[in-house]
Amino acid sequence: MKMDVNKQMILKKIPTKASEEFRNFPMVPRVVYGKGSFDTLGDILMPKRKHSEAPMIYLVDDVFENTELINRIPSIFCDQIVLISAEEEPKTGQVDALVKMIQEKFTELPSGIIGIGGGTLLDMAKAVAIMLTNKGSASEYQGWDLVNKQSIYHVGIPTISGTGAEVSRTTVLMGPEKKLGINSDYTTFDQVLLDPDLTKGVPKEQWFYTGMDCYIHCIESLNGTFLNAFSQSYGEKSLELCKEVFLEDILASESREKLMMASWHGGMSIAYSQVGVAHAMSYGLGYVLGVKHGIGNCLVFQYLEEFYPEGVALFNKMLKKHNIELPKGICANLSNTEMDTMITVALGMAPLWENALGEQWKSIITPKKLKTIYQKI
Ligand code: NAD
Ligand code: ZN
């Protein structure tokens, strides 16, 4: 599967414009790191406050309701804390409703949107920040570079590590027609605050699933045909950190710090490449059955030894070390129509397949083959 980088360059399509080959990506311009750094949030936000009528809106995972973290949020003037459940992944309708609520309640546009939580809350914050300045529904912007106005200042504060949503240029949303990100230069956070202590209470299973999202980003990026030195440098560092976290016996506090940085590097690695087979198939599971991103990736990845032999072998070791039992029979009661939809959604992710298998991917992966894998799940 692995090819050398030069060979890949020859195999890749010749772009029509230089700007298509050399994408000019935004990065997070400011980041604070360190245990306890959450307490600097008030100072960070102060210069961004437009005036007392323009609030900071904190979108916070409701798992923190009645916890000490809420009291540490620097909420002043007419700021508002909105508690949001991460039970389901973010939907375009939910983003639209939040935007409407904010517009109705305040006379001024907010000074900023701050997302505090996992990938679900981070994506919600990115989407709300975009939709406060862009007309219509969030579903109209699912795709690539459809956003044309600068978003509101937005800050991401992860409380669980793995997705890379804190660095990425996308916000993944379930829309009426598709599960697809709003990929744009305005999506990326203006500020990220990485405080490894915030991930202390994460339940073990969830820690594993979201952490494996990061591990799978590395495997898919490093074994993809789009690989280049930029992606490789971040992917290798992230993989090294994942191995320490999931295969070695290190202190819990060290593990939290390392996984937070693995997530960051994993996210950076896919910025200039793509994910692969597990993500394409996990999108199908998510769309039809509502299976969440992290666990969905794990459910698929365990059966991908044909594509990622070494990656799957290590994954099995990690499962064993942490006594994780993946659920079974997830696709057992699917109707034919549901199975077909799942396959169509997965096959619709062309860039992911092209990254995983090369330009001729259609001759390698067929609906029948996908069905065989889904049936095992
Ligand atoms: P999540 O945000 O869905 O949260 C998972 C669970 O962990 C929830 O029950 C949440 O309440 C809980 N949780 C979070 N922090 C906690 C803490 N400190 N203590 C206790 N519980 C805590 O999980 P996730 O895996 O980080 O995010 C998944 C989402 O991220 C999906 O919607 C996926 O589409 C998205 N995603 C986005 C990108 C991107 O680049 N934008 C990349 C990958 C995934
Ligand atoms: Zn992912």
Side-chain angles (χ1 to χ4, degrees):
M1 267 287 293
K2 228 172 186 168
M3 288 187 276
D4 72 59
V5 174
N6 291 335
K7 203 157 156 202
Q8 290 158 23
M9 297 310 277
I10 299 164
L11 288 176
K12 269 179 87 170
K13 256 186 291 201
I14 298 172
T16 47
K17 279 191 279 176
S19 59
E20 283 174 20
E21 182 178 358
F22 305 108
R23 304 291 308 278
N24 188 7
F25 286 135
M27 298 222 276
V28 173
R30 282 186 177 264
V31 56
V32 188
Y33 174 81
K35 291 190 271 183
S37 61
F38 186 74
D39 293 326
T40 63
L41 185 60
D43 290 344
I44 293 169
L45 297 180
M46 196 51 84
K48 302 292 175 187
R49 291 181 180 277
K50 288 186 280 195
H51 49 81
S52 59
E53 302 295 301
M56 290 290 172
I57 309 279
Y58 302 90
L59 306 181
V60 186
D61 191 317
D62 69 0
V63 76
F64 294 108
E65 189 168 13
N66 299 322
T67 66
E68 177 237 347
L69 186 78
I70 301 287
N71 302 328
R72 289 168 65 200
I73 294 176
S75 171
I76 53 172
F77 306 131
C78 58
D79 288 2
Q80 191 173 356
I81 297 175
V82 187
L83 293 171
I84 296 173
S85 164
E87 196 63 39
E88 288 179 7
E89 298 193 335
K91 298 187 176 54
T92 54
Q94 210 180 348
V95 173
D96 296 343
L98 271 167
V99 169
K100 189 160 173 261
M101 182 276 280
I102 295 168
Q103 284 167 338
E104 283 173 0
K105 180 153 185 193
F106 299 96
T107 47
E108 300 278 334
L109 274 179
S111 295
I113 305 292
I114 300 100
I116 305 178
T120 301
L121 266 291
L122 297 181
D123 279 358
M124 197 81 82
K126 289 171 165 183
V128 168
I130 291 170
M131 293 314 300
L132 278 165
T133 53
N134 287 275
K135 287 201 181 81
S137 160
S139 60
E140 293 163 43
Y141 298 90
Q142 285 178 285
W144 280 268
D145 301 302
L146 303 172
V147 180
N148 37 47
K149 283 211 184 104
Q150 181 74 46
S151 53
I152 299 267
Y153 171 77
H154 53 303
V155 182
I157 308 183
T159 64
I160 178 170
S161 300
T163 63
E166 64 279 16
V167 289
S168 75
R169 152 188 205 280
T170 188
T171 157
V172 184
L173 301 175
M174 181 75 86
E177 281 158 29
K178 55 197 169 213
K179 181 177 175 189
L180 186 61
I182 300 182
N183 299 265
S184 85
D185 283 354
Y186 305 117
T187 310
T188 317
F189 284 114
D190 297 297
Q191 167 82 56
V192 168
L193 189 152
L194 300 175
D195 182 343
D197 277 353
L198 299 182
T199 67
K200 266 183 186 166
V202 175
K204 184 177 141 193
E205 258 78 25
Q206 189 62 55
W207 163 80
F208 189 84
Y209 298 146
T210 302
M212 283 303 110
D213 188 21
C214 177
Y215 172 71
I216 296 169
H217 290 159
C218 298
I219 301 298
E220 293 186 328
S221 166
L222 291 171
N223 292 284
T225 62
F226 293 177
L227 190 67
N228 52 68
F230 183 99
S231 302
Q232 190 175 1
S233 64
Y234 286 107
E236 283 174 351
K237 187 67 211 177
S238 178
L239 181 59
E240 180 191 315
L241 291 166
C242 285
K243 285 182 185 166
E244 285 184 60
V245 169
F246 292 103
L247 292 170
E248 288 173 25
D249 297 305
I250 56 174
L251 289 175
S253 67
E254 199 183 326
S255 168
R256 283 193 292 271
E257 295 183 73
K258 290 196 161 162
L259 191 54
M260 192 159 258
M261 289 322 296
S263 173
W264 181 274
H265 283 82
M268 285 302 296
S269 177
I270 45 180
Y272 238 108
S273 84
Q274 247 311 343
V275 283
V277 182
H279 275 78
M281 293 190 68
S282 175
Y283 268 90
L285 281 178
Y287 188 80
V288 176
L289 292 170
V291 176
K292 295 190 73 181
H293 189 84
I295 188 168
N297 284 347
C298 291
L299 288 169
V300 175
F301 195 69
Q302 62 180 329
Y303 298 117
L304 299 184
E305 56 277 269
E306 177 187 346
F307 306 103
Y308 308 110
E310 289 165 25
V312 175
L314 266 192
F315 173 76
N316 287 330
K317 267 194 181 170
M318 294 173 179
L319 276 174
K320 209 166 158 208
K321 180 165 172 67
H322 298 286
N323 294 317
I324 305 285
E325 287 251 2
L326 292 174
K328 293 194 171 69
I330 301 288
C331 295
N333 300 318
L334 282 183
S335 68
N336 287 339
T337 327
E338 285 172 321
M339 178 60 87
D340 289 346
T341 309
M342 206 175 253
I343 293 168
T344 310
V345 171
L347 286 176
M349 313 299 291
L352 283 66
W353 293 106
E354 192 181 330
N355 176 44
L357 307 170
E359 264 184 71
Q360 306 305 319
W361 63 270
K362 284 188 181 141
S363 62
I364 304 170
I365 199 81
T366 57
K368 197 170 154 216
K369 186 151 198 167
L370 287 190
K371 190 170 180 177
T372 317
I373 301 175
Y374 277 134
Q375 280 170 337
K376 290 187 198 165
I377 295 173

